[in-house]
Amino acid sequence: MKATEVPAIAGAYLFEPTPFADERGFFCRTFDADVARSVGLDPDAFVQDSLSRSARGVLRGLHLRSGDGEAKLVRCSYGKVFDVVVDLRADSPTYLGRAYFELSGETQATLYVPAGCAHGFQALSEPADVSYRIDRPHDPAEDVTIAFDDPELAIEWPLPVASVSRRDREAPGLAEALKHMERTRLP
């Protein structure tokens, strides 16, 4: 497994496994504690795993958490997604930087999203399963959502948006979300 820094997002990494393929299919390691440690991540910090399944064109995001934030490992375990990360850490050298990825069940690459970064994706296949491993138990009171179509972010989603949740559809723009993040930042 190889870990590569994501230049547009300080502290983000893409973990790419080395699959063993034969006539039966493939086998690969999707998480390696030693590789995580080698880039400064504590593998024992992750406390919750979740899975979402989305139909083609479904858009989820842009989401993050206020307070201490939430770091996550994200992997498309089946199908394919267009994945987006936006750095909202005011003290980050890549503040407001954006990074785009195609994650797929074929490659099984895992993206590490640092706390303080917004994350979202659009399913490119029918269906797409996305696995999340997060470093804090989920607290809905800390959820922050940013409009996926915010003109300041100008994210070019690859497909027409087939469906979004009510929360995502009614999300405030980037400027309002940043103000909320500032108000809720822990001392």
Side-chain angles (χ1 to χ4, degrees), residues 11 21 34 42 55 67 69 74 77 92 98 101 111 125 130 137 154 169 182 187:
D34 290 336
D42 178 3
V74 180
S77 55
S92 171
R98 297 165 195 89
F101 305 88
L111 177 63
S125 61
V130 174
R169 187 174 48 253
E182 183 61 34

Side-chain angles (χ1 to χ4, degrees), residues 1 8 12 39 41 57-58 75 82 84 87 91 100 104 111 138-140 154 175-176:
M1 179 173 282
V39 296
L41 303 181
V58 165
R75 178 173 56 90
F82 174 75
V84 177
D87 189 346
D91 59 347
Y100 309 98
S104 74
L111 177 63
H138 182 249
D139 179 353
E176 190 175 326

Side-chain angles (χ1 to χ4, degrees), residues 11-176:
Y13 289 91
L14 187 65
F15 294 91
E16 299 171 279
T18 307
F20 171 78
D22 63 18
E23 67 280 353
R24 301 169 296 165
F26 73 89
F27 173 86
C28 72
R29 184 176 310 142
T30 60
F31 180 77
D32 186 311
D34 290 336
V35 175
R37 276 189 207 93
S38 77
V39 296
L41 303 181
D42 178 3
D44 297 326
F46 296 95
V47 300
Q48 184 176 313
D49 286 0
S50 301
L51 175 72
S52 69
R53 174 166 286 169
S54 301
R56 186 174 191 271
V58 165
L59 195 143
R60 294 180 186 260
L62 299 162
H63 303 151
L64 72 157
R65 288 183 52 198
S66 61
D68 285 335
E70 167 186 273
K72 58 181 104 172
L73 292 166
V74 180
R75 178 173 56 90
C76 182
S77 55
Y78 182 85
K80 189 183 332 181
V81 300
F82 174 75
D83 200 270
V84 177
V85 179
V86 181
D87 189 346
L88 298 179
R89 301 167 293 173
D91 59 347
S92 171
T94 56
Y95 179 62
L96 296 180
R98 297 165 195 89
Y100 309 98
F101 305 88
E102 187 174 279
L103 301 178
S104 74
E106 189 173 305
T107 66
Q108 295 292 319
T110 299
L111 177 63
Y112 173 73
V113 180
C117 293
H119 173 259
F121 68 87
Q122 184 178 41
L124 301 177
S125 61
E126 183 71 47
D129 289 352
V130 174
S131 302
Y132 311 82
R133 179 172 276 188
I134 61 174
D135 70 346
R136 291 197 306 137
H138 182 249
D139 179 353
E142 295 178 332
D143 288 347
V144 177
T145 305
I146 300 168
F148 66 88
D149 56 356
D150 182 271
E152 187 175 343
L153 292 174
I155 298 168
E156 294 183 27
W157 300 99
L159 299 175
V161 176
S163 180
V164 295
S165 69
R166 180 177 177 184
R167 170 184 161 203
D168 291 345
R169 187 174 48 253
E170 296 175 356
L174 176 63
E176 190 175 326

